[in-house]
């Protein structure tokens, strides 16, 4: 990085003012350097400060700093800005710290900046990080717009340092609502937040300086290819919203009278971005481009290396996942929401947030999944009474999002995320028009492998039909006629393996299906849906195989129960675990999973499954009773015996 910076500083435009390099030390400079070292050796730290602050000595000594700056840095600042010195001789540490800040204000900034970048990346002591940033802030303010790329290199060094911070493992594993309240008690989390608070103190003066100056013709607002300080700092503020910061609890609880340090840092970052770009929704157009069209990187004449011409499209400058966190904070948590222009169509915003949510769902961290769900939930709520047209389902993003959301609902390791995912899934489906709802439900029921979720989808469709039946007008085609028949026969009333279907594994789906059949039979006496036109198909292809499978399964489980009660059962194996419907959770204790169940436990599990069969048989009998009492005599089915 130092070589690249030297090259950057050597390239001076005609209109830029180049800072002079340090002049060779004169006799006066050497004397000043020796005096500083002697005062430090004698522990006269106040004397060192007076050399550069007293009215009589300061002007001459400050002018000599240009000659000896690098020597003083290497011999004094670098040697004494260490954790060991801070612990044993804090006065010496403070002396070196103040000397570094004085040098930053008066010596050639180019050479000192390179030394500071090295100090930030290599010294892991947090107090040294603070000292380096204080000096770096002064240097960057002096450089101003003359060397905008110097700001980018400085911010890259800071981000490198942040990425090296130790992180608690549970941030990646996930945490529940109670654990959220204890996050900031962890030492590693406190260390992360301390660095972000220090970072805030560092960039705020720079941000004020950048935004206080009028933009020149070369720095037109929204000139996305410009390597201006405004664009560089804006990209950095979005970038540092990534891991590990994004894994913290960033909830903005309106009912709480206090703010967490995490939320305070998040609010500061968002406000910084909005100060650079007053329209928070400005980046939404780049979301669409980055995700949907997958633009190839193009070389940008004005930037270093191979870049996409637009800085905001570059994953190096503004990663899509980090941008998703920015919009989570703006939309879901309402930070900076007052700055959002009212001209944006909520439908457009919702579509873009689905792209962002999908980016977060592609990650493997539960904390990001939760933020994705909140982002989509808020965006769908903002639609109010607007309905997403079914034609939008032609976009691949909806297919990807449904697949990811269903997988999250079925298999997330966090219970509260699964529960929240179910609510968001229902809200998402109901946000479409009637045709869109039908297409989503039909396709999900055909592709989802989680039987409990399939049962839930069946219930959603049943509820939609029930709502439609309350009206006196003709039913939509998606809730009557051929569409209604198709989804019931091919998706809802379906046993995966016929008579041999595992009824315990599919019990949720079966119970939901039987409830739906009974409900439609009772509520649609006028056959508005066309339900009574294909009840015979339901009897032959679903109810009859279900009854036979129920008889076989019940006999098998009763036989197993008798063996266990008589002590003739064999040691349990994995096949029996599946038969007993035991959900083996991830072992977090390190002790392994105990597969040796007691006899009482085996009896309890077998009886639970037999109770499930009783429930299914009871519902099956009620459905058959409804079919026997069909309102249209010609469509009555043959009597079904239970």
């Amino acid at each position: 990085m130092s070589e690249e910076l030297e090259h950057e500083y050597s390239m001076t435009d005609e209109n830029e003012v180049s800072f002079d390099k340090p002049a060779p030390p004169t006799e006066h400079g050497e004397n000043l350097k020796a005096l500083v070292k002697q005062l430090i050796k004698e522990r006269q730290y106040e004397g060192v400060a007076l050399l550069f602050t007293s009215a009589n000595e300061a002007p001459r000594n400050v002018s000599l700093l240009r000659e000896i700056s690098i020597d003083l840095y290497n011999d004094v600042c670098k040697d004494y800005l260490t954790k060991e010195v801070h612990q044993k001789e804090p006065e010496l540490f403070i002396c070196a710290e103040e000397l570094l800040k004085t040098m930053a204000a008066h010596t050639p900034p180019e050479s000192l900046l390179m030394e500071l970048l090295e100090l930030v990346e290599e010294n892991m002591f947090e107090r040294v990080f603070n000292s380096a940033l204080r000096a770096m802030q002064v240097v960057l303010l002096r450089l101003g717009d003359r060397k905008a790329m110097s700001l980018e290199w400085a911010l890259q060094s800071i981000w490198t340092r942040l990425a090296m911070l130790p992180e608690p493992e549970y941030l990646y594993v996930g945490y529940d609502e109670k654990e959220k309240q204890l996050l900031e008690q962890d030492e590693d989390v406190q260390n992360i937040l301390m660095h972000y608070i220090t970072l805030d103190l560092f960039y705020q003066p720079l941000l004020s300086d950048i935004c206080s100056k009028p933009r020149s013709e070369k720095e037109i607002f929204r000139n996305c290819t410009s390597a201006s300080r405004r664009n560089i700092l804006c990209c950095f503020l979005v970038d540092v919203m990534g891991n590990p910061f994004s894994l913290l609890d960033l909830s903005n609880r309106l009912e709480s009278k206090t703010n967490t340090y995490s939320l305070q840092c998040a609010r500061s970052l968002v406000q910084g971005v909005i100060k650079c770009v007053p329209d928070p929704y400005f980046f939404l157009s780049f979301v669409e481009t980055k995700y949907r069209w997958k633009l190839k990187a193009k070389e940008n004449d004005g930037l270093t290396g191979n870049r996409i011409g637009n800085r905001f499209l570059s994953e190096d400058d503004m990663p899509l996942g980090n941008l998703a966190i920015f919009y989570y904070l703006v939309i879901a948590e309402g930070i900076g929401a007052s700055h959002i222009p009212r001209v944006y169509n909520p439908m457009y915003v919702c579509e873009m947030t689905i792209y962002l949510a999908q980016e977060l769902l592609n990650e493997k961290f539960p904390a990001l999944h939760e933020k994705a769900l909140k982002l989509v939930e808020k965006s769908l709520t903002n639609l109010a009474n607007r309905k997403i047209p079914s034609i939008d389902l032609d976009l691949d993003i909806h297919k990807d999002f449904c697949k990811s959301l269903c997988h999250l609902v079925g298999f997330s390791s966090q219970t509260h995320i699964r529960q929240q995912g179910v609510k968001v899934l229902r809200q998402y489906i109901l946000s479409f028009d009637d045709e869109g709802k039908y297409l989503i439900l039909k396709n999900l029921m055909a592709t989802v492998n989680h039987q409990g979720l399939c049962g839930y989808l069946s219930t959603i469709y049943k509820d939609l039909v029930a709502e439609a039946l309350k009206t006196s007008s003709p039913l939509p085609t998606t809730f009557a006629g051929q569409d209604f028949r198709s989804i019931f026969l091919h998706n809802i009333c379906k046993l995966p393996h016929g008579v041999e279907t595992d009824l315990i594994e599919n019990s949720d789906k079966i119970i939901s299906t039987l409830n739906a059949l009974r409900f439609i039979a009772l509520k649609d006496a006028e056959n508005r849906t066309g339900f009574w036109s294909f009840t015979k198909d339901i009897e032959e292809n679903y109810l009859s195989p279900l009854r036979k499978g129920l008889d076989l399964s019940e006999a098998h489980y009763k036989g197993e129960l008798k063996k266990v009660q008589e002590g003739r059962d064999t040691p349990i194996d994995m096949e029996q675990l599946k038969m007993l419907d035991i959900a083996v959770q991830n072992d977090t204790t390190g002790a392994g999973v105990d597969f040796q169940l007691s006899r009482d436990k085996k009896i309890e599990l077998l009886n639970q499954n037999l109770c499930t069969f009783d429930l299914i048989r009871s519902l099956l009998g009620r459905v058959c009773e409804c079919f026997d009492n069909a309102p249209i005599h010609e469509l009555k089915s043959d009597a079904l015996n239970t």
Side-chain angles (χ1 to χ4, degrees), residues 431-584:
S431 296
F432 282 80
D433 58 21
D434 289 337
E435 184 179 358
K437 296 170 187 172
Y438 176 84
L439 291 174
I440 294 175
L441 289 169
K442 183 177 177 64
N443 283 280
L444 287 182
M445 281 189 273
T447 56
V448 170
N449 294 323
H450 192 284
Q451 296 304 314
L453 181 55
C454 284
Y456 180 70
L457 295 172
S458 301
T459 301
I460 293 178
Y461 185 74
K462 182 260 294 182
D463 293 341
L464 291 172
V465 174
E467 191 66 27
L469 286 171
K470 293 179 181 179
T471 63
S472 57
S473 58
L475 296 180
T477 57
T478 53
F479 303 137
Q482 185 58 38
D483 287 345
F484 180 83
R485 175 190 178 96
S486 176
I487 196 172
F488 256 90
L489 291 181
H490 299 143
N491 301 104
I492 297 178
C493 299
K494 183 179 180 180
L495 292 174
H497 306 290
V499 176
E500 299 179 356
T501 298
D502 187 336
L503 300 187
I504 292 298
E505 182 180 346
N506 292 268
S507 60
D508 290 337
K509 171 72 181 302
I510 293 171
I511 291 171
S512 297
T513 298
L514 293 175
N515 280 326
L517 289 173
R518 182 170 180 268
F519 177 85
I520 299 298
L522 292 174
K523 295 296 182 179
D524 189 21
E526 299 176 0
N527 199 28
R528 296 173 63 192
T529 62
F531 174 75
W532 295 103
S533 303
F534 58 90
T535 51
K536 183 172 291 187
D537 294 326
I538 295 176
E539 292 175 7
E540 293 177 356
N541 300 324
Y542 185 75
L543 298 182
S544 180
L546 176 60
R547 186 186 310 105
K548 293 178 182 178
L550 192 59
D551 292 339
L552 292 174
S553 297
E554 197 170 42
H556 177 70
Y557 274 75
K558 286 181 177 179
E560 288 294 325
L561 178 60
K562 185 176 181 181
K563 286 183 181 180
V564 173
Q565 290 173 335
E566 295 176 355
R568 295 186 290 111
D569 57 310
T570 57
I572 196 164
D573 57 22
M574 290 306 297
E575 288 299 321
Q576 289 174 303
L577 283 175
K578 182 178 179 181
M579 178 191 70
L580 294 175
D581 191 35
I582 298 176
V584 180

Side-chain angles (χ1 to χ4, degrees), residues 590-604:
V593 181
D594 184 12
F595 294 113
Q596 300 301 320
L597 300 178
S598 65
R599 178 174 299 176
D600 290 341
K601 184 63 176 178
K602 292 179 183 179
I603 292 174
E604 179 185 350

Side-chain angles (χ1 to χ4, degrees), residues 344-356:
Y344 285 92
N345 188 331
M347 198 73 70
Y348 167 76
V349 176
C350 181
E351 181 182 334
M352 294 304 104
T353 56
I354 290 176
Y355 284 101
L356 294 169

Side-chain angles (χ1 to χ4, degrees), residues 292 351 355 390-400:
R292 289 176 60 183
E351 181 182 334
Y355 284 101
S390 59
I391 193 174
D392 282 9
L393 292 175
D394 291 339
L395 301 174
D396 290 338
I397 184 60
H398 288 286
K399 176 182 177 182
D400 297 338

